[in-house]
Amino acid sequence: MSSTIREADLGAGASKVTSLPARAAANIPVQLGHGIARNPGMKLDLGFMESMRSVNRSALERRVASLTKRRSIKADNQAAWLLRSIACMDLTTLNSNDTDERVRRLCAKAINPLRRDLIEGLGIEGETIRPAAVCVYHPFVATAVDAVRGTGIHVAAVSTAFPHGLTPLSTRLQEIEASVKDGADEIDVVIPRGLVFGAKWRELYNEIVSMRAACGDAHLKVILGTGDLATLRNVMLASMVAMMAGADFIKTSTGKESVNATLPVGLAMVRAIRAYFEETGYLIGFKPAGGISTAKVSLDWLVLMKEELGRPWLEPTLFRFGASSLLTDIERQLEHHLTGHYSANHRHAMA
């Protein structure tokens, strides 16, 4: 890649800088559902991208190390944060052996994510704590929509030739439209990574704009496949293009790469989100996915969001985990909190 962004998109006026939202107290409820003003996107501004291209990996790694070491969440506070992890989860099954029955079982787990004795022990009988969404392949969207109807749980579909995104754009757009028609209200799309390596920013921008239009009212999550992008600079620039094109969320990984969500990559992406907010005033969501399988790791991600972006990004409107096995470990940690003993995985209903 050359030392400067290769295209020039002049004529975009300077935007007013906007402060991040005030950091509300942790016990103040925030509206659930799709209650955030949608990002309309903006003109592709390669000058803005040029200002974001310098990424200091060493500094990001030092920041991540300080976040995970100096924050210790224990006892009741840890239980509360783990319940927050459940509320911000996209409970996922993306396997080659998925069936309608497997998806119904996933949805049943999403509706009742914790055993009754754990709910009673934690004293949360009057609360509704469920994953924000279930995430499935397109053929199972209608099954999932029917299974979670009336619960407030969203249905996300992975589309656009997941996980590689290497089919003609027209085919990918048809898949999005089919998933929306079947009832999906969130669409997770993948970008062709080759457009990033070739610095074909305008082509990438135009593709994502088309995907956003195909989504209609469904929210668009753009998967960058960060493990395939090689450098944090590529991650930063791809994040900016996705947000400029109208993404509601940017997402790290498909979960199928050899390297999936890592905290340094996540930090680069949330700083891109902050820069975009300061430029436009629009709040963009973030979804790390792939390899997030333990309660401890979920706490690290929550701390990162709280420290870097503040309280609004601890709500499912702006933060999601892509996870399949994480819920089981959270249940085990909550049982340990109540009893002092760890339980075996088989004691918790499988998703």
Side-chain angles (χ1 to χ4, degrees):
M1 184 175 175
S2 61
S3 60
T4 60
I5 301 296
R6 287 191 287 178
E7 301 177 67
D9 197 2
L10 303 178
S15 300
K16 182 179 179 181
V17 174
T18 308
S19 299
L20 281 171
R23 297 196 174 210
N27 60 349
I28 295 178
V30 179
Q31 181 179 356
L32 299 177
H34 288 154
I36 299 295
R38 290 196 73 181
N39 170 34
M42 60 182 282
K43 184 178 180 181
L44 182 63
D45 185 344
L46 299 174
F48 184 21
M49 289 177 60
E50 176 68 21
S51 71
M52 298 296 298
R53 70 187 302 274
S54 297
V55 182
N56 187 329
R57 174 180 285 275
S58 296
L60 290 180
E61 291 174 346
R62 287 195 301 271
R63 171 63 171 160
V64 165
S66 71
L67 286 174
T68 56
K69 290 179 180 177
R70 66 188 177 89
R71 295 293 184 187
S72 181
I73 305 171
K74 301 294 184 183
D76 288 347
N77 288 329
Q78 184 182 91
W81 280 64
L82 291 178
L83 293 174
R84 174 59 47 175
S85 292
I86 294 174
C88 292
M89 190 181 299
D90 282 4
L91 195 58
T92 301
T93 182
L94 297 173
N95 299 307
S96 59
N97 60 350
D98 282 345
T99 63
D100 287 323
E101 188 55 40
R102 184 186 183 99
V103 170
R104 291 189 190 98
R105 186 172 62 180
L106 180 86
C107 293
K109 183 65 173 177
I111 295 169
N112 295 290
L114 296 174
R115 294 201 324 255
R116 174 56 55 182
D117 61 308
L118 296 181
I119 292 173
E120 293 172 353
L122 293 168
I124 56 173
E125 296 94 327
E127 303 294 331
T128 301
I129 297 174
R130 291 170 174 160
V134 292
C135 185
V136 297
Y137 281 117
H138 165 71
F140 307 106
V141 168
T143 299
V145 168
D146 183 64
V148 301
R149 194 181 310 278
T151 64
I153 298 172
H154 298 290
V155 174
V158 292
S159 296
T160 62
F162 179 93
H164 303 299
L166 295 178
T167 59
L169 178 60
S170 59
T171 302
R172 287 178 276 150
L173 296 179
Q174 288 171 3
E175 186 179 3
I176 293 173
E177 292 167 353
S179 293
V180 172
K181 183 178 180 180
D182 281 356
D185 58 353
E186 299 179 359
I187 304 293
D188 290 28
V189 305
V190 292
I191 64 170
R193 283 62 136 187
L195 297 182
V196 177
F197 290 127
K200 297 179 180 178
W201 306 119
R202 195 173 301 277
E203 185 177 346
L204 178 60
Y205 173 87
N206 290 337
E207 284 203 2
I208 298 173
V209 167
S210 298
M211 293 174 188
R212 165 66 188 270
C215 285
D217 291 335
H219 278 219
L220 174 66
K221 305 196 201 93
V222 177
I223 308 170
L224 304 183
T226 54
D228 293 339
L229 294 186
T231 68
L232 289 178
R233 175 180 295 169
N234 284 340
V235 170
M236 177 68 77
L237 296 178
S239 297
M240 297 306 303
V241 172
M243 292 185 287
M244 290 178 184
D248 297 293
F249 271 71
I250 52 175
K251 177 178 171 182
T252 60
S253 316
T254 64
K256 309 297 184 181
E257 296 90 4
S258 58
V259 178
N260 294 291
T262 66
L263 288 169
V265 161
L267 181 54
M269 293 176 69
V270 300
R271 288 188 172 174
I273 288 171
R274 183 166 64 191
Y276 187 83
F277 178 83
E278 290 171 347
E279 182 75 8
T280 67
Y282 286 98
L283 285 67
I284 308 300
F286 176 59
K287 180 178 174 180
I292 303 174
S293 58
T294 68
K296 181 182 182 303
V297 171
S298 77
L299 294 179
D300 289 341
W301 283 101
L302 289 175
V303 168
L304 172 67
M305 301 307 293
K306 180 66 168 65
E307 290 289 316
E308 286 290 320
L309 294 178
R311 177 65 179 85
W313 273 269
L314 292 183
E315 295 293 332
T317 47
L318 289 173
F319 180 66
R320 302 284 182 84
F321 294 107
S324 54
S325 58
L326 173 61
L327 182 54
T328 296
D329 194 60
I330 289 177
E331 283 189 278
R332 294 180 65 245
Q333 295 298 328
L334 291 173
E335 181 158 349
H336 181 267
H337 171 69
L338 292 173
T339 68
H341 301 285
Y342 285 106
S343 60
N345 285 3
H346 67 263
R347 296 194 62 240
H348 303 273
M350 294 175 63

